[in-house]
């Protein structure tokens, strides 16, 4: 175990983004007029021309060849949630028969991967199976190195012949446009004239587990589903809370050193790393960037995480709940909106004007999250996340918003005219021209809220650890864009926009404050309280996904040109199918493990036990306790066989339901998962009473405490 990357000899400043065709590289390698034009194109101020594409392709190829790449790929994000790629070499045969390395503007701009195998939910008619990929100018290309093999990756959008989005990037980009459009209207109406662009910033914190590869390989469930479908908590779980920010073992330290090296090289600004709450669980967070770039980088980060772990004889688990009884893994999506003149609209400012804007944006978010909570919930709905939400230290499936005491008091004061005492005892006065001077740091900490204000950003914590950030950010952006549009309409027709914004702040907060909850989101009381407040509690994926096609949601998303009705219907179809398939695989693995490994192993152990007891009885050994255990084991063994067969039959029923995706997914959720839980309870009981040597799989102790 030696550290490979000595940053004294390889300064980070030299390594960082050395494999990334970012702004710095382009500035160096492109003619200045092309570089400037590309900047305008990236900001959406100009359309991409063939001349620019040609010049960029040429520079990009030269850069990639010098790095040692032979192939390039358009890199896209189909609805599976992972990424897809098809590699082409730069090679072509020149007129004289000689090999030349070529890459045209046309090849940079567009690819035509055969897309018939990607899920599309009926969007692409079979006669037009082709999908198109188009260069995303706003996300930098990079070179991915695998054991010295270098390939140029070009982030692209993926769509059908008639322009329908077949991926997660296109709707995300559309949602960024929508929020920019509406936020600019709000700013203009309030007299801000200098801002030209608005961007959404996203900073992801990625949680993951590491397990030793040797134990991982012995668990068919981990290999095929990413989680343990059976297993009991080891004698030590996370009850001592000694893992959060705990010391990082030598082996993991060395792994993290290489992880950082690989991330930095492709320009991912990995910043923070620490031990997480569960044993074997860790977090890595990169510095925030614009939503689209952050989303791409997080997809890449997940891949790099896995490949570096493999090199260290470990497996990185990104499943939302790999182990029952300890924390699952999420992805905290830190979200804010900024202007190109450097203002974070979620940052309280120094002047009353700044604060007016801050409070207006804040109350827009309150309204957006209250009204579109079901859509936002749907954006975090996956089979994996169903196990996590509402379980150990994870936000429940209820969307609420944490503002902190101080900010809540200020809003209460504004709307109800109750006196507000500043922390220094001074009483605030509020009127049109006297908004409160807001305290700079209002970051109380609350880790139990799915949507927490943390000083100058919101942290959406519901996202699952393996998910793409595109979906959640698309829905957040859409929801906020919609409320901004309403505000812009009101401000544009108001005689006194400033006074109107104060009216809006009060109105929005008064009407939507039910979403604000500063207490413990993990408590049972909150579930009851939320119900009293009328907040939706959508506990499972199948129910949540159906929110995608609720008419009000479709209408809103169409209005802002983020999704068409067909695109939403296709997503519902695809995501339900993915849900059913995942449950199907997990259930199949359970049946297989129970039938072919666990039942035979316990049967053997039981007969050994009985043989032993016979001998023991002959020599007069008291065997009552052993008899009890043998009795219990044989009862559980019978139940295991019975529930296993029942699960198998239920699974066959589910598989036969092919003509209606929704009914099938419902059946998986209602019937199959219940049988799975049944089977698990019996198997887990068997594990507790079976000789460790006889148990056919490594247990939680090996998986969680050996790094
Ligand atoms: P904590 O664990 O306290 O929430 P971390 O430092 O682990 O904080 O992660 C915070 C994340 O939020 C980082 O990715 C950081 O870059 C990001 N972030 C900071 N400021 C903003 C902002 N204005 N908008 C979006 N993300 C931000
Ligand atoms: Mg955090």
């Amino acid at each position: 175990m030696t550290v490979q990357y000595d940053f004294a000899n390889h300064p980070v400043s030299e390594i960082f983004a050395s494999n990334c065709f970012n702004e710095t590289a382009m500035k160096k390698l492109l003619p200045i007029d092309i570089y400037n034009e590309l900047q305008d194109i990236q900001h959406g101020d100009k359309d991409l021309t063939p001349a620019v594409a040609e010049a960029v392709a040429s520079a990009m190829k030269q850069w990639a060849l010098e790095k040692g790449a032979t192939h390039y790929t358009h890199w896209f994000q189909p609805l599976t949630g992972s990424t897809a790629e098809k590699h082409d070499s730069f090679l072509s045969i020149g007129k004289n028969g000689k090999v030349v390395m070529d890459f045209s503007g046309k090849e940079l701009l567009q690819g035509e991967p055969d897309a018939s195998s990607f899920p599309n939910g009926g969007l692409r008619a079979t006669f037009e199976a082709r999908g198109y990929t188009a260069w995303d100018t706003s996300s930098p290309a990079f070179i991915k190195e695998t054991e010295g093999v270098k390939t140029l990756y070009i982030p692209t959008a993926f769509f059908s012949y008639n322009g329908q989005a077949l991926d997660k990037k296109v709707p995300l980009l559309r949602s960024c446009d929508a929020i920019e459009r509406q936020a600019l209207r709000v700013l203009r109406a309030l007299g801000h004239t200098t801002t030209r662009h608005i961007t959404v910033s996203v900073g992801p914190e990625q949680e993951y587990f590491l397990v030793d590869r040797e134990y991982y390989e012995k668990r068919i469930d981990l290999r095929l589903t990413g989680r343990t479908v059976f297993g009991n908590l080891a004698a030590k779980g996370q009850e001592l809370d000694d893992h959060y920010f705990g010391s990082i073992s030598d082996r993991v330290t060395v792994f993290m050193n290489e992880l950082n090296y690989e991330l930095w090289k492709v320009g991912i600004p990995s910043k923070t790393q620490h031990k997480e709450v569960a044993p074997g669980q860790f977090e890595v967070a990169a510095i925030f960037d614009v939503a689209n770039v952050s989303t791409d980088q997080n997809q890449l980060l997940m891949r790099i995480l896995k490949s570096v772990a493999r090199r260290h004889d470990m497996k990185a688990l990104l499943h939302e709940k790999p182990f029952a009884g300890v924390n699952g893994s999420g992805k905290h999506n830190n979200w804010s909106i900024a202007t190109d003149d450097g203002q974070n609209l979620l940052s309280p400012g120094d002047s009353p004007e700044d604060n007016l804007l801050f409070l207006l944006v804040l109350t827009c978010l309150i309204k957006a999250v209250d009204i579109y909570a079901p859509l936002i919930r749907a954006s975090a709905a996956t089979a994996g996340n169903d196990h996590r939400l509402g379980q150990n230290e994870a936000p429940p499936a209820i969307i609420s918003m944490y503002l902190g005491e101080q900010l809540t008091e200020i809003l209460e004061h504004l709307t109800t005219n109750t006196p507000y005492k500043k922390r220094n005892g001074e009483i605030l006065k509020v009127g049109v021209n006297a908004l409160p001077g807001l305290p700079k740091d209002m970051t109380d900490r609350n880790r139990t809220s799915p949507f927490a204000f943390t000083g100058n950003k919101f942290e959406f914590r519901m996202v699952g650890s393996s998910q793409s950030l595109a979906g959640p950010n698309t829905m957040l952006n859409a929801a906020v864009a919609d409320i901004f549009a309403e505000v812009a309409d009101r401000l544009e027709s108001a005689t006194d926009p400033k006074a109107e914004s104060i009216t809006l702040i009060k109105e929005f907060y008064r009407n939507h404050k039910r979403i604000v909850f500063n207490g413990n989101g993990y408590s049972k009381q909150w579930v009851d309280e939320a119900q009293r407040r009328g907040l939706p509690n959508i506990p499972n994926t199948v129910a949540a996904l159906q929110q995608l096609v609720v008419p009000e949601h479709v209408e809103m998303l169409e209005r802002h040109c983020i999704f068409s009705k067909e695109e939403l219907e296709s997503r519902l179809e695809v995501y339900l199918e993915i849900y059913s398939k995942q449950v199907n695989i997990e259930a199949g693995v359970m049946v297989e493990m129970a039938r072919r490994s666990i039942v035979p192993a316990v049967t053997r152990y039981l007969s050994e036990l009985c043989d032993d007891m016979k001998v023991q009885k002959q020599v007069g050994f008291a065997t009552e306790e052993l008899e009890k255990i043998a009795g219990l084991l044989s009862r559980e063994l019978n139940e295991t066989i019975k529930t296993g067969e029942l699960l198998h039959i239920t699974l066959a029923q589910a598989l036969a339901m092919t003509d209606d995706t929704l009914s099938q997914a419902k059946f998986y959720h209602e019937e199959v998962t219940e049988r799975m839980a049944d089977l698990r309870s019996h198997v887990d009981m068997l594990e507790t009473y079976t000789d460790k040597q006889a148990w056919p799989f490594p247990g939680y102790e090996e998986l969680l405490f050996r790094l």
Side-chain angles (χ1 to χ4, degrees):
M1 197 168 41
T2 47
V3 174
Q4 288 198 16
Y5 300 100
D6 170 6
F7 292 110
N9 293 319
H10 305 279
V12 179
S13 56
E14 277 169 29
I15 294 162
F16 189 77
S18 56
N19 273 353
C20 182
F21 197 68
N22 61 4
E23 229 173 279
T24 320
M26 287 195 263
K27 202 165 189 173
K28 208 167 108 195
L29 299 168
L30 287 173
I32 186 70
D33 51 325
I34 297 282
Y35 172 79
N36 288 336
E37 211 175 326
L38 187 63
Q39 291 265 301
D40 290 341
I41 294 164
Q42 286 171 331
H43 290 135
D45 296 336
K46 266 192 184 167
D47 286 336
L48 186 56
T49 61
V52 171
E54 206 56 56
V56 176
S58 164
M60 203 187 263
K61 178 196 73 180
Q62 210 48 45
W63 174 81
L65 289 179
E66 273 162 29
K67 299 263 172 208
T70 54
H71 286 67
Y72 69 92
T73 177
H74 277 198
W75 184 58
F76 55 105
Q77 326 212 345
L79 299 183
T80 54
S82 52
T83 55
E85 53 198 66
K86 175 185 153 225
H87 299 207
D88 275 302
S89 70
F90 294 112
L91 182 145
S92 79
I93 308 292
K95 283 207 180 80
N96 53 8
K98 278 203 176 137
V99 165
V100 279
M101 296 304 256
D102 235 354
F103 187 50
S104 67
K106 208 169 142 262
E107 285 165 313
L108 167 64
L109 277 180
Q110 198 169 54
E112 294 183 16
D114 175 8
S116 49
S117 302
F118 293 105
N120 63 77
L123 269 187
R124 246 181 306 98
T126 33
F127 61 84
E128 199 17 284
R130 220 182 287 255
Y132 295 86
T133 52
W135 175 34
D136 171 12
T137 56
S138 57
S139 183
F142 56 90
I143 284 178
K144 195 172 169 298
E145 273 188 58
T146 314
E147 312 279 335
V149 180
K150 294 165 187 171
T151 308
L152 173 66
Y153 279 64
I154 303 161
T156 54
F158 181 45
F159 49 88
S160 73
Y161 176 69
N162 47 10
Q164 285 164 321
L166 297 175
D167 70 351
K168 299 198 176 221
K169 186 189 267 287
V170 171
L172 175 64
L173 289 171
R174 291 178 186 155
S175 76
C176 291
D177 283 352
I179 199 169
E180 173 172 37
R181 237 178 356 254
Q182 303 306 336
L184 279 174
R185 284 181 63 207
V186 172
L187 286 180
R188 297 274 184 272
L190 284 172
H192 293 251
T193 52
T194 52
T195 304
R196 289 172 58 237
H197 289 289
I198 304 263
T199 49
V200 170
S201 308
V202 166
E205 299 164 55
Q206 174 75 50
E207 294 176 342
Y208 61 97
F209 279 86
L210 288 174
V211 295
D212 189 298
R213 180 106 165 257
E214 187 194 329
Y215 300 119
Y216 170 90
E217 294 294 347
K218 292 184 181 146
R219 296 275 319 204
I220 168 177
D221 50 356
L222 277 181
R223 280 191 283 119
L224 296 187
T225 74
R227 77 177 180 103
T228 54
V229 293
F230 299 121
N232 280 307
L233 210 52
K236 182 178 187 298
Q238 63 188 43
E239 56 281 274
L240 292 178
D241 278 336
D242 51 353
H243 303 287
Y244 189 61
F245 285 5
S247 58
I248 300 171
S249 72
D250 293 353
R251 185 169 176 194
V252 177
T253 302
V254 174
F255 155 81
M256 285 177 169
N257 170 272
E258 186 171 341
L259 176 65
N260 283 321
Y261 174 79
E262 294 293 344
L263 294 175
W264 288 337
K265 217 162 45 171
V266 289
I268 299 177
S270 153
K271 169 85 177 159
T272 306
Q273 60 198 24
H274 61 81
K275 187 75 207 57
E276 259 299 334
V277 177
Q281 193 187 27
F282 304 88
E283 176 181 302
V284 54
I287 296 172
F288 68 95
D289 205 323
V290 294
N292 177 39
V293 172
S294 261
T295 300
D296 282 359
Q297 288 189 339
N298 184 254
Q299 293 294 106
L300 182 56
L301 178 143
M302 289 193 283
R303 266 187 72 170
I304 293 178
L305 195 59
K306 285 184 178 174
S307 65
V308 174
R310 208 174 305 125
R311 289 207 286 277
H312 289 251
D313 278 326
M314 296 189 285
K315 279 304 270 196
L317 305 181
L318 292 175
H319 193 282
E320 283 70 23
K321 195 78 178 178
F323 305 100
V326 294
N327 276 19
S329 297
K331 187 133 56 190
H332 296 176
N333 186 81
N334 293 273
W335 184 99
S336 69
I337 332 171
T339 68
D340 60 345
D341 31 20
Q343 192 182 357
N344 175 352
L345 298 182
L346 280 174
S347 185
D350 297 323
S351 68
E353 272 71 27
D354 284 350
N355 285 334
L356 178 72
L357 187 57
F358 164 70
L359 288 175
L360 184 60
V361 171
L362 182 77
T363 44
C364 281
L365 252 103
I366 293 175
K367 176 164 185 179
V369 174
D370 185 29
I371 292 195
Y372 295 114
L375 258 190
I376 295 170
R377 163 70 184 94
S379 78
T382 65
N385 229 5
D386 274 8
H387 296 285
R388 169 180 165 256
L389 296 179
Q391 299 293 322
N392 307 59
E393 289 209 32
I398 306 161
I399 302 259
S400 66
M401 215 169 178
Y402 169 86
L403 294 181
E405 237 171 71
Q406 231 176 329
L407 199 50
T408 310
E409 274 174 33
I410 289 168
L411 286 165
E412 282 292 329
H413 162 67
L414 270 173
T415 45
T416 59
N417 296 325
T418 47
Y420 170 72
K421 257 197 195 149
K422 270 191 177 176
R423 292 298 189 254
N424 61 13
E426 183 192 338
I427 297 202
L428 269 177
K429 284 201 195 76
V430 181
V432 175
N433 292 311
L435 269 161
L438 297 179
K440 267 285 173 207
D441 183 15
M442 293 179 287
T443 4
D444 300 342
R445 280 296 181 178
N446 175 313
R447 300 200 163 265
T448 67
S449 176
F451 208 87
F453 182 68
T454 47
N456 61 359
K457 59 186 162 68
F458 271 94
E459 192 170 327
F460 182 42
R461 302 197 180 111
M462 204 177 250
V463 186
S465 49
S466 66
Q467 267 193 279
S468 157
L469 289 170
N473 284 301
T474 302
M475 290 311 180
L476 283 178
N477 295 350
V480 178
D482 192 53
I483 308 304
F484 279 170
E486 178 189 344
V487 167
D489 289 345
R490 294 261 300 262
L491 295 181
E492 282 163 4
S493 58
T495 41
D496 183 348
K498 209 166 148 190
E500 182 68 1
S501 13
I502 293 188
T503 309
L504 281 163
I505 292 171
K506 293 182 181 179
E507 181 188 314
F508 284 5
Y509 180 68
R510 207 176 289 130
N511 294 343
H512 300 282
K513 67 178 177 185
R514 64 172 190 164
I515 196 87
V516 177
F517 176 63
N518 294 324
N520 180 6
Y522 298 165
S523 70
K524 170 78 184 73
Q525 291 90 306
W526 168 232
V527 177
D528 302 335
E529 164 75 14
Q531 194 179 15
R532 270 195 297 281
R533 293 187 188 190
L535 296 177
N537 181 357
I538 311 175
N540 67 74
T541 291
V542 180
L545 287 177
Q546 290 174 70
Q547 294 295 327
L548 292 175
V549 295
V550 165
E552 297 94 89
H553 297 157
V554 174
E555 200 262 320
M556 182 276 276
L557 292 162
E558 285 204 312
R559 188 152 26 95
H560 295 287
C561 305
I562 296 169
F563 283 112
S564 67
K565 185 160 183 272
E566 293 72 37
E567 286 170 339
L568 286 164
E569 283 166 350
S570 75
R571 272 142 189 89
L572 173 64
E573 180 83 7
V574 170
Y575 297 156
L576 286 173
E577 241 172 60
I578 292 176
Y579 173 85
S580 295
K581 280 182 185 160
Q582 278 176 353
V583 178
N584 184 60
I585 296 170
E586 290 185 356
V589 165
M590 283 181 120
V591 172
E592 157 108 12
M593 285 170 81
R595 262 192 199 161
R596 301 188 55 199
S597 301
I598 292 163
V599 169
V602 179
T603 310
R604 276 193 299 274
Y605 172 61
L606 200 53
S607 61
E608 267 174 40
L609 193 64
C610 293
D611 287 347
D612 287 353
M613 277 192 297
K614 253 186 244 155
V615 178
Q616 284 162 352
K617 265 197 190 138
Q618 281 165 7
V619 296
F621 192 83
T623 57
E624 290 109 76
E625 290 307 315
L626 283 178
E627 272 166 26
K628 258 190 227 160
I629 290 174
L632 184 141
L633 274 176
S634 83
R635 267 194 311 279
E636 290 296 333
L637 195 58
N638 281 329
E639 288 301 317
T640 300
I641 295 167
K642 223 162 58 193
T643 47
E645 290 316 303
L646 206 53
L647 176 57
H648 184 72
I649 293 166
T650 317
L651 216 44
Q653 288 171 333
L655 273 175
M657 300 174 72
T658 46
D659 41 355
D660 179 359
T661 320
L662 180 59
S663 310
Q664 189 182 40
K666 275 187 181 161
F667 187 82
Y668 272 107
H669 169 62
E670 284 157 16
E671 303 293 328
V672 177
T673 61
E674 204 174 309
R675 302 270 170 282
M676 287 165 72
D678 263 0
L679 178 57
R680 179 171 192 148
S681 71
H682 296 300
V683 169
D684 287 357
M685 183 61 93
L686 285 178
E687 187 185 1
T688 333
Y689 286 96
T690 303
D691 178 0
K692 196 171 164 59
Q693 306 302 322
W695 194 254
F697 303 103
Y700 276 20
E701 189 272 324
E702 285 90 345
L703 293 167
L704 287 168
F705 291 93
R706 295 291 178 93
L707 289 181

